Amino acid sequence: MTRECSLLLPRVCAALADPRQPGSDDTCLEKLLDWFRDLTELDPTVKLLQDNPCLTEFISSVLALPEPSPSILSFTLRLAGILAASEIRFQHLQQEKLLIRLFGRDGPLNSAVWEDASVRSGWVEGVHSMMHHQPALHFLCDDGSIDVIFTLQGDPSLFVASAASQLLVHMLTLSVESETTKPLSTKDCDWPACAQMIIKRIEDSLQSSSASHIEQSLKLLTSLFGSCRATWTEVLWLGVAKQIESFLTEETVQAQHMLANLFLNMAWSPVFCDAEGSFWALVTSALEHLTPVQAGPLAVGILRLYKCPQDVRIQAVTVLLQPMDCILRAASQPLEYAGLLDESVSDPTAVESLLSSKSSCASLLCQTLAHLEELLSLIRLPVDLPYTSLLRSLMTILQFCNGFLCPASPLGSMISRILINSFRVQRSALDVIAALSEKKGGDSLIGSLFDVLLAYLESPNTSPTVLKKTFQATSKWLMRLQELSCSNSQWQQTQKILEDVFLVLQKRLCSPCWEVRDSSLEFLTVLIKYLRDQDEFRQSLLSSEVPRLTENLLEDPESYVRASAVTAVGHLAFITYFASESPVVGNQYNKENTVAKLQEILSTDPEGFPRRAVISIFTKWLRQGCTGQLEDTEQFVSRVIQTVEYDLDWEVRLGGLELVEVFCSQTICQLGLPECPYAPVSSAVTSSIHQDELLQIFCRTKLFSFLFRSLCDCDKPVGQRACDILLGLRSSFYPISTLKDSQGTGDSPARDSIAWLQRTLRQGSLAQNFLTDGGNGVDFQDPEIMMLALGTIDLEELHDELNKSSDHVEKSPQSLLQDILATVGTIEENEADCY
Amino acid sequence: MPEIKVTPLGAGQDVGRSCILVSIAGKNVMLDCGMHMGYNDDRRFPDFSYITQNGRLTDFLDCVIISHFHLDHCGALPYFSEMVGYDGPIYMTHPTKAICPILLEDYRKITVDKKGETNFFTSQMIKDCMKKVVAVHLHQTVQVDEELEIKAYYAGHVLGAAMFQIKVGCESVVYTGDYNMTPDRHLGAAWIDKCRPDLLITESTYATTIRDSKRCRERDFLKKVHETVERGGKVLIPVFALGRAQELCILLETFWERMNLKAPIYFSTGLTEKANHYYKLFITWTNQKIRKTFVQRNMFEFKHIKAFDRAFADNPGPMVVFATPGMLHAGQSLQIFRKWAGNEKNMVIMPGYCVQGTVGHKILSGQRKLEMEGRQILEVKMQVEYMSFSAHADAKGIMQLIRQAEPRNVLLVHGEAKKMEFLKQKIEQEFHVNCYMPANGETTTILTNPSIPVDISLGLLKRETAIGLLPDVKKPKLMHGTLIMKDNSFRLVSPEQALKELGLAEHQLRFTCRVHIQDPRKEHETVLRVYNHLKGVLKDYSVQHLPDGSITVESILIQATAHSEDQGTKVLLVSWTYQDEELGSYLTSLLKKGLPQSTA
């Protein structure tokens, strides 16, 4: 603790304990606790308490208040807990009899303030914080306060209930791990006293008839097995296993919904997953007995495990595939298609009845689809999935949803009626279809899949959110289609599909709904990014109206759409102008026109998004070497810098700096300075001619004035980036050994102007009229002066200064203490106010 | 008993960040998804892990509703939808949808300026989130699904702010968000119809305050600005890009015009244009006066207020500058503050709340020596004024809204515990309804008594009218029928129709009762006595003596036998159908009293 803070702390404590003062802002108290947590973690000794007796005095005075405010009492409980986290400080507070008065039977827990949830929460958190040593454990257990914690598991406040459950897990683990002298076994199970109390309560609750007690104990066991992987957990489990097993079969006890999580946490623990047979038999039984909705999360969790018997995995897959199988069977004539599952494996009645009920159909499908998507995202799938049938089933769902399929079977017609227009199911199914594109299989269905996707893209009933997902799925499958058509020369089919896609895209680009226009443009950009090398793609795109419509959208009234149009047009350019063998005929696509249009957006668009998009496209072009020869590029960069350096949007200015950075490194590379790893010439500054040329180029593009000006930008990230670039440039021009020599050279007027620059930069964002009058004699286009500036100005110091976050003062404990003190005695009205 | 459950994850006895979960008739709705500006870590967002212990959020929540664009009501939305993974529908009004991203971008900018910021959303995330939003019109009933519907009402407060009614079947909840019951310069007062919701969830920021007239505060503000400008000083007003800024702009613009003042007024960011664009676009959401004058002159096209360039800050002479951000925590407003703080002629006016740690908070609490970056100490000599312009309903306004909506229960959020307690008592006393004020994480359960609509079959109605009783609205009347609950609907049909629909066979149920009578005569004589007695008493009924010796009264059958052990006692076996239950009970009680002597 700094001296300033220790001087402020006693006054802060006095203010907090003064009931006449208006309550302090909750965030202040929270941050104060954060600070104490940091302080105590670093030093377990009693020094903090001895050096700052105001802390114990504060606790005593709060305890002495006849009616302490709940927030201050809660703060005191939590503070005391944090302080008592080390044994020695715990003893110190015990001697002062503070802990017993705070956490014991005669403390707040038997007073009226206990009604306040924040006090109960403070009590639990305080106990949890101190629970790091045996004396704390005994303090709680001997006092009988453990009963309080058990009661709090059922607290009306979710926060308190959950914290109480976590606390019990922590206490149980601490008790067993710190107080057991010999390894525990089922035969000789000698639990330490505190653990014994907790375990007894768990066992009793599990046997009780109260659903909430059972639920609490299951929750406790779930988090215990999730956090503790020690062997003793098995001994505990064996004591309750029978009872828990019975919950699977007894319908009188409503605890099944809790079991999936419990078993999953156990499955992750080596204690159980390595066990022979019995645990996996239980999991198998759970997959059988739980309802399809309850079993789903368990099934997907199991399939994520590395260690698991194959037959359990197969059963888990069955659980997930069953609804999909049901859909397929409901939609098709018998024996028309192979199902997803061998019928004899599972009984589909439960799933069928859920799917045929209006209230459960969509939710079961959405859950199953989400699980399948999760499964498909795994890098290594532990089981084979029938991808083709799965895809067919997904297509069926989508056709149910848009009314394209109304099967004759009673179940099929029922499901199709329920699902019609269900956006939720549509979105989930499209997500899985997109994920399936990365798996091998389903190629034979690709034609019909695109029929379904195109129907969605075309339909006016498709909602904007569903349309977005359809675009995502379509783009993924188009990539897949390209791969396929390369290998098996199905280019005619590909050509037809692409033409259809662009036809529908034309329509969507003219949608009255900005969300749709935006998603369409994003879709186009993705397609160009990944497929621009494919001939069929380029031809279909350029022979459609899409490019023209995209350019039109540069003038869209919605700024998000203009920004997406800029990005799309920027990518289109890779096909139209920058491609080595440009397929463009005639003057339809004029490069200069497009550049001019984008340049105009950069300088005149009233909103930030389109301008940001332009600068990022320009940088992309520059990176890919599309801006022409060095001279053209120089002019291009210079023009861009002049446009962006006064931009009101800091991200545009930041984007400008990124462009400058790319330009610098490319130019340095081209002229062969040694720092560039790809430089054709590797000797140290092969000649000063190169260096001079470089400096001249940089000066001509006016990038130095932009960089130095940016150092004083009121938006810090801009200053930081500029400083990084200048440091990079310096290291290019001054190898470390020569840096010192350079300082102090140069004639006197130059030195004066550099000194002025140095002073100005020190003022940072407060610098006045920086550069507007030509920089008070600093010529930013003079290579010599710039060389001198790079060598002289202390960029490291600036870098450190800029890298301090703007809130480093704000975040300091001293500032916090000052703020708390400053609010003492202020008018209350300010606090209640909000935005 | 059906119930409504409410759990605040934020705004439960605080004004930090609003996020309230409501379960009504099996539907789960999240009201607002706000962010706490006072924290830089995960604590700034509500802890969404409490929403569902098992299962996915999207499956659990039926929709999210955002009341208005302030960050403490919508700031966590992109995090929730793009990072936590909620993929369901989000509703807000059109202006809120348009303005939300501006403020979210504004705040995102501030956070990237800070070190160690993690878990924060990107621009792309804000856009993707906004694309999921369904915009609603005022008073438009939006069907979220077949059962759940929502409807927005005007709330004043800020442009686009709305109160929402959430309705499932005949159960309903109204959530006010932040609202204002008195019109201000550019917005109207909140209004709701007498919708009698089961529960009204209302904000209670000014639960104990009766606010002075806004006019006084405005006069005070103008006076202070005027005085400073007159003596050649500069006035800095740190604001968020949208909201209060526009109100104050109108105020100054009109004052400058009236007083013919020449000192320049600037607005510091490029956002002004966009903000004003939205105010123009959503003119119907502003108040009547602005709408009326719109034809002659648009209030938001300012004559005196110009765009600010950072070089202007060093110009000599008086000026007024609106600069963002509003709490003086970074960016341009802080830069100008640092330039002007040293001159006692200047003034800074803070028109809103500032979180701890910010320069705004420090100067408001009276600190005059501030440590800046690089250990520099900034001495604040300029005048510091706080002027609350936030547009919330005061205690009177809250009571007025309750009177308007006539809820069956009230629940207070977005306020301080102590003040809520006071208002709660007042509400309970005056309106005789239960009032709740749960803390964050605490669930309040409210039992409802919904009236359930039942369809009556035409056949049944016709039969009733055939009896001659014409329906009369003022006279409720009893109808017999069979209630069929099928496919989520209730229908009252005739028993015959019910049997037919359900494919059931009819069973006849008869009640029997034995009555002992002391009568030494022969059985048939006893029967005759009973017959005569009943004929005398039940004059309006058809009483018959059948040839087999039994008596019938309507469907009721009476047979007499001698007691097997005691011939002096006769046993009357009375049996009747369910339909004649009333008459059957009456008859048995009549017979139990015995026969009158005179009928002999």
Side-chain angles (χ1 to χ4, degrees):
Chain A
M1 191 187 294
T2 62
R3 208 179 138 264
E4 287 90 347
C5 286
S6 57
L7 287 174
L8 289 168
L9 191 58
R11 285 165 55 207
V12 168
C13 286
L16 291 178
D18 185 350
R20 289 165 305 174
Q21 295 299 337
S24 216
D25 184 351
D26 280 351
T27 56
C28 288
L29 298 179
E30 284 284 334
K31 288 174 190 171
L32 209 50
L33 289 173
D34 290 347
W35 179 48
F36 281 115
R37 216 169 275 126
D38 291 345
L39 284 175
T40 52
E41 269 170 15
L42 293 172
D43 176 15
T45 67
V46 81
K47 191 170 177 299
L48 177 71
L49 291 177
Q50 283 168 341
D51 291 353
N52 302 284
C54 60
L55 288 172
T56 43
E57 283 160 18
F58 166 73
I59 298 174
S60 308
S61 48
V62 171
L63 279 166
L65 291 175
E67 276 178 34
S69 87
S71 71
I72 283 297
L73 186 58
S74 172
F75 168 78
T76 313
L77 287 159
R78 292 193 288 164
L79 173 67
I82 291 168
L83 294 174
S86 85
E87 199 169 332
I88 183 158
R89 280 194 303 264
F90 175 87
Q91 305 293 8
H92 182 90
L93 293 172
Q94 268 289 56
Q95 279 162 16
E96 308 258 339
K97 301 236 175 330
L98 292 176
L99 292 178
I100 190 78
R101 288 170 61 203
L102 278 171
F103 297 100
R105 290 250 149 232
D106 299 326
L109 72 91
N110 272 320
S111 72
V113 274
W114 193 248
E115 286 297 305
D116 194 292
S118 69
V119 175
R120 300 196 299 277
S121 171
W123 190 92
V124 177
E125 278 184 47
V127 172
H128 200 133
S129 300
M130 78 166 82
M131 207 46 72
H132 288 289
H133 39 79
Q134 280 190 37
L137 206 53
H138 290 291
F139 166 69
L140 249 298
C141 293
D142 298 349
D143 188 45
S145 299
I146 206 157
D147 290 338
V148 179
I149 308 173
F150 274 102
T151 315
L152 288 177
Q153 283 188 105
D155 199 88
S157 162
L158 293 173
F159 303 161
V160 176
S162 156
S165 179
Q166 293 299 327
L167 173 58
L168 285 169
V169 170
H170 181 69
M171 286 172 72
L172 177 59
T173 316
L174 178 69
S175 167
V176 176
E177 286 171 4
S178 67
E179 300 188 306
T180 317
T181 46
K182 55 181 181 179
L184 293 158
S185 76
T186 30
K187 282 177 200 152
D188 176 22
C189 186
D190 189 13
W191 297 107
C194 175
Q196 177 71 50
M197 277 157 93
I198 298 174
I199 291 167
K200 175 85 176 44
R201 289 293 283 263
I202 294 174
E203 289 171 348
D204 290 351
S205 314
L206 288 174
Q207 278 164 1
S208 79
S209 55
S210 149
S212 64
H213 282 161
I214 294 175
E215 207 167 283
Q216 284 160 18
S217 288
L218 289 176
K219 210 180 269 177
L220 200 158
L221 288 173
T222 306
S223 43
L224 174 70
F225 294 139
S227 61
C228 178
R229 306 273 150 92
T231 47
W232 61 265
T233 51
E234 194 187 11
V235 183
L236 168 62
W237 167 249
L238 290 172
V240 294
K242 275 244 147 49
Q243 186 64 31
I244 289 177
E245 221 178 314
S246 74
F247 294 154
L248 276 178
T249 47
E250 277 175 28
E251 280 179 11
T252 46
V253 187
Q254 294 297 312
Q256 286 94 335
H257 64 286
M258 307 280 303
L259 296 176
N261 270 346
L262 173 70
F263 295 154
L264 266 184
N265 277 1
M266 290 171 75
W268 280 103
S269 164
V271 177
F272 299 101
C273 71
D274 290 340
E276 295 278 311
S278 67
F279 171 69
W280 292 112
L282 184 64
V283 172
T284 310
S285 161
L287 288 171
E288 264 168 36
H289 285 101
L290 296 177
T291 65
V293 177
Q294 291 163 348
L298 178 62
V300 77
I302 283 169
L303 289 167
R304 299 179 74 105
L305 295 171
Y306 290 113
K307 276 186 182 177
C308 172
Q310 193 63 11
D311 56 333
V312 180
R313 279 190 186 135
I314 288 171
Q315 206 188 347
V317 170
T318 311
V319 167
L320 293 184
L321 291 182
Q322 207 150 29
M324 307 306 287
D325 180 61
C326 217
I327 292 282
L328 213 48
R329 283 177 201 282
S332 60
Q333 302 296 324
L335 305 177
E336 192 183 349
Y337 303 121
L340 277 154
L341 298 166
D342 181 354
E343 223 172 347
S344 62
V345 173
S346 50
D347 172 24
T349 12
V351 172
E352 272 175 19
S353 81
L354 285 173
L355 286 180
S356 55
S357 149
K358 208 172 184 177
S359 56
S360 55
C361 178
S363 52
L364 174 66
L365 278 181
C366 285
Q367 186 193 292
T368 308
L369 291 167
H371 289 152
L372 285 170
E373 193 199 347
E374 195 182 333
L375 202 60
L376 289 169
S377 71
L378 295 180
I379 298 163
R380 198 185 61 88
L381 261 177
V383 279
D384 289 331
L385 287 178
Y387 294 121
T388 307
S389 307
L390 186 56
L391 186 59
R392 199 190 301 282
S393 178
L394 290 161
M395 284 157 53
T396 309
I397 292 178
L398 285 183
Q399 285 172 310
F400 281 162
C401 291
N402 67 358
F404 274 36
L405 193 64
C406 308
S409 75
L411 179 65
S413 85
M414 173 70 88
I415 299 177
S416 66
R417 255 183 297 145
I418 297 174
L419 288 186
I420 199 142
N421 272 337
S422 169
F423 298 153
R424 269 174 70 198
V425 176
Q426 289 174 354
R427 283 196 296 262
S428 307
L430 286 161
D431 277 338
V432 188
I433 286 184
L436 261 181
S437 70
E438 280 154 30
K439 304 286 172 189
K440 292 253 173 310
D443 297 343
S444 57
L445 292 177
I446 213 159
S448 19
L449 171 66
F450 274 104
D451 287 343
V452 175
L453 292 175
L454 279 164
Y456 267 74
L457 291 178
E458 274 164 14
S459 166
N461 293 332
T462 307
S463 89
T465 49
V466 174
L467 187 75
K468 190 177 173 193
K469 301 259 181 194
T470 316
F471 276 138
Q472 281 165 355
T474 308
S475 59
K476 293 239 175 162
W477 278 92
L478 278 176
M479 288 169 214
R480 173 76 173 272
L481 185 68
Q482 285 296 339
E483 283 166 23
L484 283 178
S485 70
C486 290
S487 60
N488 62 10
S489 67
Q490 282 179 322
W491 61 270
Q492 272 177 325
Q493 187 195 17
T494 311
Q495 189 84 23
K496 173 79 182 61
I497 291 174
L498 282 169
E499 276 166 17
D500 289 346
V501 167
F502 288 126
L503 215 55
V504 76
L505 191 60
Q506 275 168 213
K507 216 164 72 186
R508 291 298 188 178
L509 285 171
C510 304
S511 164
C513 178
W514 74 263
E515 291 90 340
V516 170
R517 297 196 300 276
D518 192 72
S519 299
S520 308
L521 289 166
E522 285 180 334
F523 170 67
L524 176 65
T525 305
V526 170
L527 290 191
I528 299 174
K529 255 188 205 166
Y530 292 100
L531 300 174
R532 73 182 203 213
D533 296 334
Q534 310 288 331
D535 285 342
E536 300 104 45
F537 172 77
R538 284 201 305 264
Q539 276 163 16
S540 308
L541 173 60
L542 294 178
S543 58
S544 74
E545 286 288 297
V546 169
R548 188 182 60 81
L549 293 169
T550 306
E551 289 213 16
N552 289 351
L553 290 177
L554 290 174
E555 283 155 30
D556 197 273
E558 178 60 47
S559 64
Y560 275 143
V561 179
R562 289 201 298 279
S564 297
V566 166
T567 313
V569 165
H571 280 82
L572 258 174
F574 289 118
I575 299 178
T576 47
Y577 329 118
F578 304 143
S580 51
E581 36 187 297
S582 175
V584 186
V585 191
N587 220 2
Q588 194 186 356
Y589 301 102
N590 185 307
K591 180 181 166 189
E592 279 68 35
N593 260 352
T594 306
V595 177
K597 259 186 201 164
L598 296 191
Q599 182 75 45
E600 194 192 333
I601 291 176
L602 185 62
S603 48
T604 58
D605 199 293
E607 290 181 53
F609 302 123
R611 302 200 304 270
R612 288 181 208 167
V614 172
I615 192 76
S616 106
I617 276 298
F618 281 173
T619 311
K620 199 174 182 74
W621 285 356
L622 183 63
R623 262 210 187 99
Q624 308 228 351
C626 304
T627 46
Q629 294 302 311
L630 185 57
E631 266 172 47
D632 296 339
T633 303
E634 197 186 309
Q635 279 179 10
F636 170 75
V637 171
S638 166
R639 223 172 27 237
V640 174
I641 289 177
Q642 285 171 59
T643 317
V644 299
E645 69 178 328
Y646 296 104
D647 200 289
L648 289 170
D649 186 315
W650 68 282
E651 286 188 66
V652 176
R653 299 196 297 276
L654 197 65
L657 288 171
E658 198 181 334
L659 180 110
V660 165
E661 195 174 19
V662 173
F663 174 68
C664 289
S665 66
Q666 276 185 351
T667 318
I668 291 170
C669 261
Q670 277 182 23
L671 293 182
L673 279 187
E675 280 67 29
C676 174
Y678 311 110
V681 188
S682 59
S683 63
V685 193
T686 34
S687 68
S688 59
I689 303 166
H690 280 163
Q691 190 170 316
D692 289 348
E693 205 181 333
L694 259 180
L695 271 172
Q696 274 165 14
I697 292 172
F698 291 163
C699 286
R700 276 202 304 269
T701 47
K702 300 187 181 114
L703 61 79
F704 282 112
S705 63
F706 180 34
L707 287 171
F708 281 111
R709 183 189 166 91
S710 297
L711 288 175
C712 297
D713 199 289
C714 68
D715 290 304
K716 211 169 247 194
V718 177
Q720 285 166 345
R721 191 59 174 263
C723 195
D724 289 342
I725 297 171
L726 284 168
L727 278 165
L729 282 179
R730 192 179 70 182
S731 66
S732 298
F733 289 108
Y734 290 98
I736 297 165
S737 54
T738 62
L739 188 57
K740 276 182 189 159
D741 309 337
S742 73
Q743 292 173 1
T745 58
D747 57 2
S748 134
R751 266 209 308 273
D752 288 349
S753 58
I754 298 296
W756 176 86
L757 184 59
Q758 180 100 334
R759 276 197 310 278
T760 309
L761 292 176
R762 282 220 181 92
Q763 292 175 33
S765 63
L766 294 180
Q768 290 185 6
N769 293 343
F770 186 68
L771 304 180
T772 47
D773 53 0
N776 213 18
V778 181
D779 185 354
F780 290 93
Q781 291 186 53
D782 180 336
E784 264 179 52
I785 293 185
M786 284 304 102
M787 185 68 184
L788 191 63
L790 278 177
T792 321
I793 288 167
D794 192 348
L795 291 168
E796 272 86 8
E797 188 196 347
L798 268 171
H799 181 262
D800 292 348
E801 200 50 53
L802 284 164
N803 264 330
K804 274 184 201 149
S805 69
S806 65
D807 60 345
H808 84 280
V809 177
E810 200 177 293
K811 266 185 179 166
S812 77
Q814 189 184 334
S815 150
L816 174 65
L817 296 175
Q818 279 166 344
D819 283 358
I820 296 175
L821 278 178
T823 46
V824 171
T826 50
I827 318 154
E828 216 174 317
E829 195 191 359
N830 294 8
E831 294 158 48
D833 201 1
C834 52
Y835 308 101
Chain B
M1 199 73 169
E3 55 190 27
I4 296 173
K5 284 188 173 182
V6 183
T7 314
L9 289 182
Q13 301 184 8
D14 74 19
V15 278
R17 45 169 150 61
S18 292
C19 181
I20 299 144
L21 297 174
V22 173
S23 293
I24 168 171
K27 301 285 168 185
N28 299 303
V29 179
M30 184 197 275
L31 303 170
D32 281 336
C33 190
M35 173 172 70
H36 199 311
M37 309 256 259
Y39 294 109
N40 294 331
D41 53 22
D42 274 351
R43 283 174 287 188
R44 76 174 130 221
F45 299 129
D47 192 342
F48 298 117
S49 65
Y50 287 98
I51 297 179
T52 161
Q53 302 291 318
N54 309 303
R56 300 183 328 130
L57 269 175
T58 312
D59 295 337
F60 180 80
L61 280 182
D62 291 280
C63 72
V64 174
I65 295 172
I66 302 293
S67 65
H68 63 286
F69 63 63
H70 278 154
L71 292 177
D72 58 334
H73 293 259
C74 73
L77 193 61
Y79 172 73
F80 186 57
S81 73
E82 307 307 308
M83 297 169 89
V84 179
Y86 170 72
D87 201 17
I90 302 163
Y91 294 92
M92 52 179 84
T93 63
H94 283 277
T96 307
K97 180 174 179 179
I99 296 166
C100 242
I102 304 181
L103 291 185
L104 289 166
E105 280 289 333
D106 212 19
Y107 194 73
R108 191 183 64 78
K109 178 201 147 177
I110 292 159
T111 53
V112 290
D113 200 17
K114 295 181 176 180
K115 274 282 155 76
E117 285 286 340
T118 50
N119 235 356
F120 211 79
F121 39 80
T122 61
S123 265
Q124 180 69 32
M125 287 174 180
I126 297 175
K127 178 171 89 172
D128 288 343
C129 169
M130 285 303 141
K131 281 163 81 172
K132 291 177 184 170
V133 171
V134 182
V136 302
H137 294 285
L138 281 183
H139 305 160
Q140 169 200 5
T141 302
V142 178
Q143 212 66 45
V144 177
D145 58 34
E146 274 180 30
E147 289 107 29
L148 174 63
E149 61 181 48
I150 59 171
K151 188 173 174 182
Y153 290 94
Y154 192 76
H157 188 61
V158 287
L159 191 73
M163 307 193 266
F164 277 89
Q165 182 189 40
I166 301 117
K167 203 168 165 194
V168 185
C170 56
E171 288 175 86
S172 67
V173 171
V174 168
Y175 172 59
T176 65
D178 291 353
Y179 64 104
N180 186 10
M181 293 299 279
T182 50
D184 62 25
R185 262 172 206 275
H186 70 295
L187 295 169
W191 179 85
I192 195 162
D193 54 27
K194 211 171 271 311
C195 53
R196 297 195 178 95
D198 291 290
L199 176 66
L200 173 78
I201 303 174
T202 171
E203 67 132 327
S204 50
T205 320
Y206 292 140
T208 54
T209 324
I210 303 290
R211 301 209 86 193
D212 54 348
S213 122
K214 212 165 177 186
R215 301 250 160 229
C216 300
R217 262 175 287 146
E218 287 172 359
R219 250 199 319 270
D220 205 21
F221 168 77
L222 291 171
K223 195 172 150 230
K224 278 178 180 150
V225 173
H226 192 194
E227 279 169 7
T228 311
V229 173
E230 284 290 289
R231 63 167 182 261
K234 295 177 168 67
V235 182
L236 170 65
I237 310 169
V239 284
F240 283 102
L242 258 148
R244 209 142 316 142
Q246 278 63 39
E247 197 184 339
L248 296 179
C249 282
I250 298 178
L251 197 62
L252 281 188
E253 172 84 7
T254 333
F255 187 70
W256 248 236
E257 186 78 28
R258 203 175 67 220
M259 305 291 287
N260 199 18
L261 296 179
K262 296 284 176 258
I265 308 175
Y266 298 115
F267 202 109
S268 83
T269 75
L271 290 168
T272 353
E273 260 178 72
K274 186 157 184 173
N276 293 341
H277 165 72
Y278 284 124
Y279 273 78
K280 280 180 233 169
L281 191 64
F282 299 113
I283 194 81
T284 49
W285 286 77
T286 52
N287 70 17
Q288 223 175 9
K289 192 177 159 201
I290 290 193
R291 284 203 299 268
K292 267 188 188 162
T293 55
F294 184 67
V295 192
Q296 307 143 17
R297 191 177 78 83
N298 184 341
M299 281 282 235
F300 295 105
E301 266 162 18
F302 301 116
K303 201 168 109 191
H304 298 274
I305 302 171
K306 307 256 159 36
F308 179 74
D309 184 287
R310 58 181 288 202
F312 295 172
D314 300 312
N315 287 356
M319 68 175 86
V320 180
V321 176
F322 287 93
T324 58
M327 303 188 198
L328 288 179
H329 42 321
Q332 202 145 39
S333 62
L334 183 60
Q335 186 190 18
I336 300 172
F337 172 77
R338 289 173 70 172
K339 280 175 186 268
W340 294 357
N343 189 339
E344 60 272 14
K345 274 206 289 191
N346 298 339
M347 176 185 280
V348 57
I349 301 181
M350 306 295 301
Y353 170 75
C354 296
V355 300
Q356 183 276 321
T358 58
V359 170
H361 182 270
K362 285 177 191 292
I363 56 170
L364 276 183
S365 62
Q367 298 181 57
R368 287 294 173 265
K369 283 190 176 161
L370 305 178
E371 190 194 327
M372 291 285 145
E373 289 153 49
R375 296 234 145 210
Q376 297 166 23
I377 299 291
L378 178 71
E379 194 166 347
V380 183
K381 290 184 183 155
M382 74 197 300
Q383 293 181 59
V384 179
E385 294 289 339
Y386 174 77
M387 207 154 281
S388 164
F389 282 93
S390 66
H392 292 272
D394 61 5
K396 219 164 87 188
I398 297 170
M399 300 300 269
Q400 195 184 335
L401 187 84
I402 297 174
R403 209 165 294 123
Q404 244 177 45
E406 285 191 7
R408 295 188 184 89
N409 297 276
V410 177
L411 190 141
L412 305 178
V413 292
H414 200 277
E416 289 168 56
K418 259 191 211 162
K419 298 182 180 177
M420 279 183 177
E421 189 63 55
F422 176 81
L423 185 67
K424 173 177 145 63
Q425 282 172 13
K426 213 169 144 205
I427 290 170
E428 286 180 332
Q429 267 168 20
E430 189 166 334
F431 298 105
H432 306 288
V433 295
N434 287 326
C435 184
Y436 306 87
M437 41 172 282
N440 285 330
E442 252 178 338
T443 303
T444 298
T445 305
I446 289 147
L447 296 179
T448 57
N449 197 2
S451 45
I452 298 160
V454 174
D455 292 331
I456 302 180
S457 80
L458 208 58
L460 196 64
L461 276 176
K462 277 183 181 162
R463 199 161 71 182
E464 288 290 315
T465 44
I467 300 170
L469 299 168
L470 286 171
D472 182 350
V473 190
K474 286 182 184 161
K475 285 186 193 157
K477 104 186 149 67
L478 200 63
M479 266 181 83
H480 291 277
T482 307
L483 186 70
I484 298 187
M485 297 190 275
K486 211 170 136 189
D487 297 333
N488 263 349
S489 73
F490 294 82
R491 280 180 309 130
L492 196 65
V493 298
S494 65
E496 299 80 45
Q497 194 185 333
L499 287 169
K500 208 170 133 193
E501 267 189 39
L502 302 171
L504 298 175
E506 191 177 8
H507 294 270
Q508 282 289 340
L509 195 68
R510 284 190 85 85
F511 299 96
T512 54
C513 179
R514 284 190 166 77
V515 181
H516 295 247
I517 289 179
Q518 293 301 322
D519 188 8
R521 296 179 185 86
K522 291 257 167 44
E523 283 160 20
H524 70 270
E525 285 173 24
T526 313
V527 169
L528 206 60
R529 280 185 73 199
V530 171
Y531 171 69
N532 288 334
H533 174 51
L534 294 180
K535 198 135 173 88
V537 178
L538 304 166
K539 286 203 172 74
D540 293 336
Y541 292 84
S542 129
V543 185
Q544 288 180 321
H545 190 184
L546 300 181
D548 66 353
S550 49
I551 303 167
T552 60
V553 180
E554 305 289 333
S555 74
I556 298 160
L557 187 70
I558 304 165
Q559 289 170 323
T561 47
H563 199 280
S564 55
E565 286 164 20
D566 172 14
Q567 290 296 316
T569 306
K570 297 290 172 303
V571 182
L572 296 179
L573 180 74
V574 187
S575 104
W576 65 95
T577 63
Y578 162 76
Q579 285 81 359
D580 280 326
E581 155 71 11
E582 220 173 316
L583 185 60
S585 333
Y586 173 69
L587 253 177
T588 41
S589 55
L590 188 72
L591 292 171
K592 276 180 184 166
K593 288 180 188 157
L595 297 171
Q597 294 306 314
S598 57
T599 52

